[in-house]
Amino acid sequence: MIVTTSPSKLDVAKIRDDFPILGIRSASDRPLVYFDNAASTQRPTSVIEAMSRCYREYYSNVHRGIHTLSEASTQAYENARATVASFMNAASTNEVIFAAGTTAAINTVARTWGDQNLSQGDVILLLISEHHANIVPWHQLAERVGCRVEFIPVDEEFLIDDEAVASAIETHQPKLFAFGAASNTLGTEYPVKRWTRMAHDAGASVLIDAAQAAPHWKMDVQDWDADFVVFSGHKVCGPTGIGVLWGRESLLDLMPPFLGGGGMIQTVTTEGFTSHALPEKFEAGTPPIVEAIGLEAAIEYLTQVGMDNIYAHERQLGSRADAGLREIAGVRVIGPTPEHKGGINSFVIDGVHAHDVSQFLDGQGVAVRAGHHCTMPLHHAIGVTATSRASCYFYNTVEEVDVFLQAVSDVRDRFAKTGRRRRSRASRSDS
């Protein structure tokens, strides 16, 4: 039996009118069912128009240009920063740094705060479910300074409880606890505020990867009380090439600049330089001006829809998809039960490689992600090479979930009996 939550309050049909790409047909001439939202969301017309309007009407480089276009672009760029600060409930716009994305933001922390504060023997504590963006920069830091990286495993139900976190903190005494607010593979939502408090009580700093939380939850960095929070624009209906690093102003002030060049300097001489104040200190070169304007439009759109409404709708769709997958013989859901996760459902089908699943579903008009989803340590820990992942968003419908479930059932019927299986190989999958 399909388990559903309370009915959604969203007028999804009206919302879908704002996303032209959702109306296209797939290569198989079927209506597109876009269930690859954990990798990247689609953009409403308002975002596309905001970026186009900047290019058409007032684009110029920002800061220091004393002419009409530059002043207009600078004002729009800084307005975008203020909108992001409000979206995150930051105490100051000085705490909002524009970066190229979540990956760039984490690397900035690793190369500045990390190099400055970690040394031989220190520990960085992560979850085994982390995205590579929240693993590789810490491995690189370990190679530079001699610290080490430790991981908290998931249990048999794909969960990590408070006791496991408390035990890992007590055992390893980490200098930094960096974890995703939600897993991009398991869909699991983690108690950010509670785990942050536990880490702080043990003297550890905390970085939150909110790439999979920002599109779905209300963020409140002051309430979370973390030290750093990062997210990407392209996962919140904004453009690619932009993300956000939020940090406590007191920490950012003490951190050395990462990238050097124009924009981040106060003075330059033949002997050296002095860096600019926040936030320009961490925004070397020409910043992502139009992308920031697009991000502002995306945040305004999501705010208008309502983050609580978005979350409730995704929960309804995710629960329906989870229940339906568990009813199909030979299908195993890789993730916890619906009460512990949002709209992400990863799964495997006995005897069928994830890439074959994705290719077959594409033929039915359903777009899903196949591979390791940039979580190779997690996949290794749970003993699977690759999974298929269906991830919904607020513009998806109940009917699309049912199309997806029927397509998965058809995969099982067509391939599982033959035992078709591709040779195991390293599979690539972003996000």
Side-chain angles (χ1 to χ4, degrees):
M1 179 180 293
I2 298 294
V3 178
T4 60
T5 59
S6 58
S8 171
K9 296 180 180 179
L10 298 182
D11 185 345
V12 181
K14 183 177 180 180
I15 287 171
R16 288 175 68 88
D17 287 341
D18 295 331
F19 292 82
I21 198 170
L22 299 179
I24 72 167
R25 299 183 74 83
S26 68
S28 57
D29 197 32
R30 294 172 183 262
L32 173 67
V33 176
Y34 185 76
F35 273 8
D36 195 19
N37 294 288
S40 198
T41 57
Q42 299 298 342
R43 285 116 197 87
T45 301
S46 60
V47 171
I48 299 168
E49 289 181 345
M51 297 175 71
S52 178
R53 187 164 56 252
C54 175
Y55 280 127
R56 290 197 315 265
E57 299 178 6
Y58 62 90
Y59 173 79
S60 179
N61 214 326
V62 296
H63 304 140
R64 297 175 305 284
I66 308 175
H67 58 80
T68 300
L69 292 182
S70 181
E71 289 182 352
S73 288
T74 298
Q75 185 63 57
Y77 181 68
E78 294 304 331
N79 285 347
R81 194 189 309 277
T83 297
V84 172
S86 177
F87 182 63
M88 305 180 79
N89 193 30
S92 168
T93 54
N94 287 341
E95 297 179 331
V96 175
I97 310 298
F98 286 128
T102 295
T103 300
I106 295 175
N107 274 274
T108 298
V109 176
R111 291 303 302 255
T112 56
W113 182 90
D115 283 357
Q116 193 176 52
N117 289 276
L118 275 78
S119 58
Q120 184 76 33
D122 288 334
V123 172
I124 300 167
L125 184 62
L126 310 175
L127 310 181
I128 195 65
S129 55
E130 294 306 317
H131 189 283
H132 294 165
N134 199 30
I135 297 177
V136 176
W138 308 121
H139 280 321
Q140 292 176 315
L141 176 60
E143 291 176 356
R144 290 195 304 273
V145 305
C147 63
R148 72 179 194 274
V149 181
E150 298 286 349
F151 292 87
I152 305 175
V154 296
D155 63 21
E156 293 182 353
E157 296 179 342
F158 304 103
L159 295 172
I160 299 173
D161 60 25
D162 287 2
E163 289 73 20
V165 172
S167 177
I169 291 174
E170 181 179 3
T171 298
H172 299 297
Q173 293 295 303
K175 206 73 171 287
L176 175 69
F177 183 22
F179 66 94
S183 167
N184 74 309
T185 297
L186 303 175
T188 315
E189 298 170 346
Y190 297 115
V192 173
K193 184 177 179 179
R194 191 162 68 242
W195 287 3
T196 296
R197 184 172 61 249
M198 291 164 62
H200 280 169
D201 287 346
S205 297
V206 177
L207 179 144
I208 304 299
D209 177 354
Q212 294 296 336
H216 317 290
W217 313 351
K218 281 184 177 178
M219 285 198 298
D220 188 334
V221 294
Q222 294 188 67
D223 184 59
W224 284 0
D225 199 32
D227 300 290
F228 304 101
V229 177
V230 300
F231 74 94
S232 291
H234 71 97
K235 294 185 190 294
V236 293
C237 296
T240 56
I242 189 167
V244 173
L245 163 60
W246 172 88
R248 294 181 183 276
E249 189 167 358
S250 58
L251 291 177
L252 295 174
D253 270 332
L254 294 174
M255 290 157 51
F258 175 29
L259 299 175
M264 54 72 64
I265 57 90
Q266 185 66 44
T267 61
V268 178
T269 70
T270 54
E271 285 76 36
F273 74 98
T274 58
S275 62
H276 212 298
L278 294 172
E280 287 91 343
K281 173 182 176 180
F282 292 104
E283 295 181 1
T286 298
I289 302 164
V290 182
E291 290 80 1
I293 292 166
L295 176 58
E296 178 183 31
I299 287 174
E300 289 174 342
Y301 185 89
L302 295 184
T303 301
Q304 183 179 17
V305 174
M307 298 307 294
D308 288 341
N309 294 331
I310 290 171
Y311 184 74
H313 183 72
E314 290 174 0
R315 276 280 179 143
Q316 178 184 354
L317 299 185
S319 294
R320 188 179 186 91
D322 177 279
L325 286 170
R326 293 179 192 273
E327 288 182 349
I328 302 172
V331 173
R332 181 161 63 105
V333 175
I334 305 299
T337 49
E339 64 269 22
H340 299 290
K341 65 183 180 181
I344 292 175
N345 282 287
S346 294
F347 61 98
V348 294
I349 301 178
D350 292 343
V352 189
H353 193 280
H355 289 169
D356 291 320
V357 174
S358 179
Q359 185 173 15
F360 183 88
L361 264 58
D362 182 58
Q364 306 302 305
V366 181
V368 301
R369 181 75 33 167
H372 53 66
H373 318 306
C374 288
T375 57
M376 292 181 75
L378 172 65
H379 279 74
H380 178 76
I382 62 181
V384 296
T385 303
T387 55
S388 301
R389 182 186 68 191
S391 50
C392 63
Y393 205 23
F394 66 95
Y395 42 59
N396 292 123
T397 67
V398 170
E399 292 75 17
E400 288 182 319
V401 173
D402 292 342
V403 170
F404 157 71
L405 291 173
Q406 183 59 58
V408 173
S409 181
D410 291 345
V411 172
R412 171 66 183 169
D413 291 343
R414 178 169 181 176
F415 291 127
K417 294 177 183 179
T418 68
R420 179 180 179 184
R421 186 187 299 273
R422 291 190 179 189
R423 292 182 179 179
S424 178
R425 59 185 176 87
S427 50
R428 295 186 60 181
S429 168
D430 199 8
S431 296

